[in-house]
Amino acid sequence: SVQLGGLDGTVSFDLPLAVGGKMIEQDPTHAGVERGAEYVRNEVKDSGLALQLRKLAFVLKAAAKYAEALEAYTMAITLKGSNARYYFARANTYRVMGENKKAILDYSSAIRLDSGTALYYSNRGQCYRKVGKATVALGDFEAALALVDTHLASRSFLVGHRLSLADLALWGSLAVNMLWQQKLQKTGRFPHVARWFAHCSQVPELAATREA
């Protein structure tokens, strides 16, 4: 059995492991091993183990146990490598550890699986900037802004119909970003982001932080 105590209880994978092991026993060639391993992966991926491993990794990362968190994320990716969020989460762990090149690889994997999430580009761009690739970093930042601009084309706020934490987080990031303030905001390439930013900047509480 696989024990994940303290999260969602105990998950048993005795049967898939036994069947996969029997398949390998009957055909111990490389192809047989691959078939047995693939069977186990397919059987357990829908049972929630990958999700529980991601939850475990999140807890470990929060406790600054980064090596253990990376191991859990890697196991989750092995089980369900088609989930962009798993690569993104592991990349964030690498980034916290200062392993920017490894983080870039995982952010790139996340983008290959899901090219429509702005945060993937934004975070990868930060890593590119830290390894001295300013031009590539700018490209990622612009890609992230383009996605947000499309999202805001028919919306006043990022989520729902009122100011949310998502708006506050993005506004705060752009408010201290000199590239946005001095260049990109004025190019006209991201009109909906510019409109949204100006609107949020008129909120008294946010306006006060810029004047402070």
Side-chain angles (χ1 to χ4, degrees), residues 148-169:
V148 175
D149 196 70
T150 299
H151 179 76
L152 287 170
S154 58
R155 297 175 175 86
S156 297
F157 300 102
L158 290 173
V159 181
H161 302 288
R162 62 185 65 183
L163 200 68
S164 69
L165 289 176
D167 295 290
L168 296 177

Side-chain angles (χ1 to χ4, degrees), residues 163-183:
L163 200 68
S164 69
L165 289 176
D167 295 290
L168 296 177
L170 180 58
W171 182 90
S173 176
L174 292 178
V176 297
N177 188 301
M178 290 298 101
L179 183 62
W180 168 253
Q181 293 290 336
Q182 298 175 2
K183 181 180 178 181

Side-chain angles (χ1 to χ4, degrees):
S1 299
V2 177
Q3 304 287 331
L4 291 177
L7 292 175
D8 296 327
T10 300
V11 182
S12 177
F13 297 103
D14 290 334
L15 182 58
L17 291 172
V19 173
K22 190 67 174 178
M23 293 172 66
I24 293 171
E25 181 182 329
Q26 292 174 350
D27 183 5
T29 65
H30 177 74
V33 172
E34 285 296 312
R35 279 194 294 271
E38 183 66 18
Y39 171 84
V40 173
R41 283 195 292 268
N42 288 336
E43 285 296 305
V44 302
K45 71 167 56 175
D46 294 328
S47 62
L49 177 58
L51 178 59
Q52 291 195 57
L53 283 167
R54 192 183 74 164
K55 290 180 179 179
L56 174 62
F58 180 84
V59 172
L60 290 168
K61 181 188 172 189
K65 295 184 177 181
Y66 301 126
E68 293 89 342
L70 287 174
E71 184 178 1
Y73 279 132
T74 299
M75 291 173 65
I77 289 170
T78 299
L79 290 171
K80 201 164 187 178
S82 61
N83 193 316
R85 289 174 296 176
Y86 292 1
Y87 286 100
F88 176 69
R90 189 171 69 175
N92 287 338
T93 305
Y94 279 130
R95 187 159 68 99
V96 170
M97 298 171 67
E99 297 278 357
N100 290 297
K101 291 182 179 180
K102 291 181 179 179
I104 287 170
L105 291 175
D106 271 355
Y107 286 133
S108 297
S109 293
I111 289 169
R112 279 195 296 273
L113 292 166
D114 174 12
S115 61
T117 299
L119 195 56
Y120 297 172
Y121 294 93
S122 176
N123 284 18
R124 187 176 69 173
Q126 292 180 44
C127 291
Y128 273 129
R129 182 174 57 81
K130 289 188 176 181
V131 299
K133 295 187 176 181
T135 301
V136 184
L138 174 60
D140 270 352
F141 183 50
E142 291 178 332
L145 282 175
L147 287 169
V148 175
D149 196 70
T150 299
H151 179 76
L152 287 170
S154 58
R155 297 175 175 86
S156 297
F157 300 102
L158 290 173
V159 181
H161 302 288
R162 62 185 65 183
L163 200 68
S164 69
L165 289 176
D167 295 290
L168 296 177
L170 180 58
W171 182 90
S173 176
L174 292 178
V176 297
N177 188 301
M178 290 298 101
L179 183 62
W180 168 253
Q181 293 290 336
Q182 298 175 2
K183 181 180 178 181
L184 295 177
Q185 185 180 8
K186 303 172 184 177
T187 63
R189 291 174 54 198
F190 311 106
H192 305 299
V193 176
R195 166 186 52 77
W196 165 88
F197 184 82
H199 177 67
C200 290
S201 297
Q202 293 174 1
V203 175
E205 293 79 4
L206 296 182
T209 64
R210 300 191 71 183
E211 295 169 359

